[in-house]
Amino acid sequence: MLIRKDPVFGVALVAAPLFWTGLLLWMGTSVNLAWPLHTPGNFLMQVLFFPVLEEFAFRGFVQTTLAKTAWGKKTKFGFSAANAFTSVVFVLFHLLSHSPLWAGLTFFPSLIFGFFRDRYDRVMPAIVLHVFYNAGYFWLFGAPIS
């Protein structure tokens, strides 16, 4: 299992629930944990379809293509230039459906997803993390307005 082999991946998984808890405390909002049962298609789109599609597009295509260049291989603070550039593009993409603040905040998980794409030279760890991050976030905060 990836977590046993790479404790850094485990830390990336633990970071998400810590963020969700902090956000819940900060927002002080009530949570409808049963909403995915009422609209499972909506939940599955947010939790599986979009993250997988985004990871293949951003980490699988953009970052992988850039990582093959000399510029993309350059690193700073453990993050590749390919990852940083891909994360900026990821934020710009999220401006289509998010406020500037929330779109901007996608930069940090994007860097994490890209870090593991670089670390394993595969997109699957990024997909696993993105699905997990979206599952918790949308389960807690993504209930459709009725």
Side-chain angles (χ1 to χ4, degrees), residues 35-108:
W35 82 265
L37 298 174
H38 304 293
T39 55
N42 184 22
F43 184 69
L44 290 174
M45 289 292 283
Q46 299 295 328
V47 170
L48 288 176
F49 181 74
F50 291 134
V52 171
L53 185 65
E54 288 176 356
E55 288 310 313
F56 278 120
F58 291 100
R59 255 58 65 187
F61 178 71
V62 176
Q63 186 172 338
T64 297
T65 300
L66 293 173
K68 294 175 183 174
T69 69
W71 173 84
K73 291 177 184 174
K74 292 181 182 179
T75 61
K76 192 158 209 151
F77 308 113
F79 298 100
S80 70
N83 181 7
F85 181 84
T86 301
S87 294
V88 169
V89 175
F90 191 74
V91 167
L92 294 173
F93 174 78
H94 280 81
L95 282 171
L96 298 172
S97 60
H98 293 70
S99 71
L101 173 63
W102 284 108
L105 289 173
T106 65
F107 181 77
F108 300 105

Side-chain angles (χ1 to χ4, degrees), residues 13 16-17 19-20 24 31-36 40 42-52 54 109 113 126-143:
L13 286 172
F19 172 76
W20 304 327
L24 276 172
V31 176
N32 175 8
L33 297 179
W35 82 265
N42 184 22
F43 184 69
L44 290 174
M45 289 292 283
Q46 299 295 328
V47 170
L48 288 176
F49 181 74
F50 291 134
V52 171
E54 288 176 356
F113 305 154
I127 290 172
V128 168
L129 285 171
H130 198 157
V131 166
F132 180 69
Y133 281 31
N134 275 27
Y137 177 81
F138 284 104
W139 183 42
L140 296 172
F141 303 104

Side-chain angles (χ1 to χ4, degrees), residues 1-6 9:
M1 182 177 246
L2 189 59
I3 299 169
R4 285 189 211 144
K5 292 180 183 176
D6 187 357
F9 191 82

